[in-house]
Amino acid sequence: MNKRYWIGLTLAATLALSGCQSDAPNFKWDYLSKLYDGARFKGKEPPKMLSEKEMSVIMEECRSKAVKAPKNYSYGDTFSVVMTAPFEDYLGQMARYVQSGEQTYLYCQNMADSEYHLLSTKQDVFAKTKLVEHPNELEVHPDTIKKEDWFSRDDNIINGSVRKLALPGSGYLVMKATDVTKKDERKTFVVYAEALTPFTEDTKLYLTYNEKYNENDDISYNSFVRIPQLISGQQMETSIHAMKQPGKVRFIPGDGTPEHYGTLIATEKNGHQFRYELSIQHTMERPSELARQDLSEEDVLSTINDITLFHQKQFKHYLYDQSDSSKDRLKVEDTIMMTSDESGKLQKAIKTSEQADVRGKRAKWKYLTFRKGVKGQQYEVYLDKRVKKTDIYLRDPKRDVSIHLSATGRDIILSLFELYEK
């Protein structure tokens, strides 16, 4: 038997004894699709659940480095991702599929950020749908209003004031009113300003009169600019003129251009008359009246409690599931919640344990999940029971990493199991 054979045999025996070894770390915070519920929205169709791969890409890509907004683009479906039970404290992530030339993007929006993120070919996992081209310029056309377009069913709509707005997907929509009551004292003020994004949809705009704004307010009869729906179903209104008592209000349409939407004439009960020239503008410069968001993503995520728990069932994607699956939903009694001190000690034990092939059978508490902000780490839990000793093995199926937990980590887990199984 030659020397080379002995070297090979010794090496094989060493590998067999050492178990499953990997360069991957024992513990890694990552975007776990198991933590999220996600859906795709397309027009008036019912939402369709996102795949786990789609959810992971959205969560990871929307927190990557933002890129400059494309000038011309088409947009596709809208995606919504929120955390599943028991992590429903997360405020959610909205995203829209965007294509510009050969490049594809996610436009991501949450409480902290509204940014574009470029998708690589590998990340573009979203089922292709019909894309809608976004106009580059603001278009304003006369229109009529239907009851379903009303801001309120009690609106007193001024005749001839309804306009349909075709809105660009970038820049800002600014509406201004210039008080021309006294020609030597022209005063212009912004009555409405809003950032435009790929979530922006074409909408209708109209003026109202003698609206009761506040029953306890001395000045309570207003003429409003009203936009029934602009972004994600949100309704907007801003007062142009307020009177102590109901007065006469009329509207003279302009020349049909956005710059000359029309003139609002308000005549109060005492005969005083006020005239406002109204304009609608699209600008790429942020209006000073539109305050920047002060929240950072760290501010938003700091309100989310870190959670570590053992659980008997896997998390159920139920929020957008059309089937009746409430019986499969994870319940509180199927979980063991760890304290932050226990979790910290267990994480340290996991990181310093040796990697090895799994032994034993699945524990009653089948899963161990750590959650920090929007990231997580999940393991399958195995118990190798013997006469005088029980060993614990943890396996991360996503990264194909398994470990033989150290005595310190084993004692933490077994004491919890013993406590909850009494």
Side-chain angles (χ1 to χ4, degrees):
M1 194 174 288
N2 61 37
K3 184 176 181 181
R4 180 177 295 178
Y5 175 82
W6 277 110
I7 292 174
L9 186 62
T10 304
L11 180 60
T14 303
L15 289 173
L17 290 171
S18 65
C20 173
Q21 298 293 322
S22 169
D23 293 333
N26 291 352
F27 190 103
K28 181 183 179 182
W29 294 114
D30 205 349
Y31 296 99
L32 301 181
S33 56
K34 297 292 185 185
L35 295 180
Y36 309 113
D37 268 333
R40 173 195 301 265
F41 296 87
K42 182 180 180 182
K44 296 181 180 180
E45 296 179 11
K48 297 181 68 173
M49 292 182 65
L50 291 172
S51 69
E52 294 189 357
K53 191 171 185 179
E54 288 173 324
M55 286 189 285
S56 289
V57 168
I58 290 171
M59 296 305 296
E60 184 171 7
E61 186 62 16
C62 286
R63 280 157 183 81
S64 65
K65 185 177 180 181
V67 298
K68 188 176 180 181
K71 292 183 178 179
N72 304 313
Y73 65 84
S74 299
Y75 62 85
D77 294 343
T78 297
F79 311 114
S80 174
V81 180
V82 295
M83 279 194 169
T84 189
F87 305 118
E88 293 149 311
D89 52 354
Y90 176 57
L91 298 173
Q93 176 71 60
M94 295 290 292
R96 189 151 210 174
Y97 188 83
V98 172
Q99 182 173 311
S100 179
E102 297 298 318
Q103 294 182 315
T104 56
Y105 303 79
L106 283 181
Y107 177 78
C108 302
Q109 182 172 295
N110 56 36
M111 284 191 65
D113 298 309
S114 299
E115 299 171 327
Y116 287 88
H117 299 268
L118 186 63
L119 291 171
S120 67
T121 303
K122 186 177 179 181
Q123 292 168 321
D124 193 356
V125 297
F126 305 97
K128 298 298 182 291
T129 60
K130 184 178 179 181
L131 299 175
V132 178
E133 190 173 349
H134 232 313
N136 294 323
E137 304 294 335
L138 170 68
E139 295 180 9
V140 180
H141 303 285
D143 208 335
T144 57
I145 202 85
K146 299 177 182 178
K147 286 189 176 181
E148 56 265 29
D149 298 323
W150 290 7
F151 185 94
S152 166
R153 295 302 172 92
D154 298 325
D155 282 345
N156 298 312
I157 300 173
I158 300 177
N159 290 333
S161 68
V162 182
R163 296 290 182 272
K164 183 175 182 178
L165 305 182
L167 297 167
S170 58
Y172 303 90
L173 174 68
V174 180
M175 297 195 59
K176 293 184 177 181
T178 300
D179 184 353
V180 294
T181 304
K182 296 181 180 180
K183 292 185 178 180
D184 56 338
E185 294 182 14
R186 297 173 69 91
K187 181 177 64 176
T188 300
F189 60 98
V190 173
V191 294
Y192 180 81
E194 181 64 39
L196 301 175
T197 77
F199 290 122
T200 301
E201 298 178 357
D202 293 351
T203 188
K204 292 184 181 180
L205 168 152
Y206 58 85
L207 303 178
T208 66
Y209 66 96
N210 289 344
E211 295 291 338
K212 204 70 179 294
Y213 188 65
N214 188 333
E215 294 290 342
N216 300 318
D217 195 345
D218 290 337
I219 303 177
S220 56
Y221 294 92
N222 289 256
S223 289
F224 282 111
V225 173
R226 284 193 166 162
I227 301 179
Q229 184 174 340
L230 184 61
I231 300 173
S232 302
Q234 189 175 7
Q235 297 175 327
M236 306 290 183
E237 66 174 352
T238 309
S239 177
I240 297 174
H241 185 80
M243 298 179 280
K244 292 183 178 180
Q245 294 175 300
K248 295 180 180 180
V249 180
R250 65 191 182 99
F251 176 74
I252 303 174
D255 61 8
T257 62
E259 294 79 11
H260 298 94
Y261 171 32
T263 302
L264 178 74
I265 302 174
T267 305
E268 297 188 349
K269 194 170 183 179
N270 59 14
H272 290 169
Q273 191 176 87
F274 297 82
R275 296 170 63 92
Y276 299 89
E277 290 181 356
L278 308 179
S279 66
I280 311 169
Q281 298 177 12
H282 172 236
T283 174
M284 297 305 293
E285 297 294 326
R286 177 184 289 271
S288 59
E289 292 81 5
L290 192 62
R292 288 183 178 273
Q293 291 178 315
D294 295 323
L295 283 175
S296 67
E297 183 164 353
E298 287 72 23
D299 294 328
V300 175
L301 295 182
S302 67
T303 63
I304 301 176
N305 295 322
D306 297 346
I307 296 176
T308 303
L309 71 159
F310 290 92
H311 44 111
Q312 296 178 10
K313 295 181 179 181
Q314 186 57 277
F315 305 129
K316 177 67 178 177
H317 301 302
Y318 70 91
L319 188 61
Y320 299 110
D321 190 352
Q322 303 300 311
S323 62
D324 182 14
S325 56
S326 57
K327 64 180 180 180
D328 298 325
R329 197 177 304 176
L330 183 67
K331 298 180 177 63
V332 175
E333 55 266 31
D334 298 327
T335 67
I336 299 176
M337 193 78 68
M338 299 186 72
T339 65
S340 58
D341 181 58
E342 290 170 334
S343 175
K345 290 178 180 178
L346 183 55
Q347 286 182 47
K348 289 181 180 178
I350 290 172
K351 291 174 182 177
T352 56
S353 295
E354 292 184 357
Q355 293 187 11
D357 291 328
V358 165
R359 292 183 180 181
K361 297 180 180 180
R362 291 294 289 275
K364 174 184 176 182
W365 308 93
K366 294 182 178 180
Y367 303 95
L368 167 61
T369 300
F370 297 86
R371 200 286 296 273
K372 182 179 182 181
V374 296
K375 292 185 178 182
Q377 166 69 71
Q378 187 176 95
Y379 299 99
E380 297 171 347
V381 184
Y382 293 82
L383 299 184
D384 183 22
K385 294 184 178 181
R386 286 169 284 170
V387 177
K388 295 184 179 181
K389 183 182 179 184
T390 297
D391 284 340
I392 295 181
Y393 291 83
L394 302 177
R395 177 175 177 267
D396 178 352
K398 180 180 179 181
R399 298 185 297 121
D400 195 23
V401 172
S402 57
I403 63 170
H404 179 199
L405 193 59
S406 68
T408 301
R410 177 197 63 205
D411 293 343
I412 293 173
I413 292 178
L414 290 181
S415 61
L416 279 172
F417 286 180
E418 184 179 354
L419 177 66
Y420 275 81
E421 290 174 3
K422 284 183 178 179

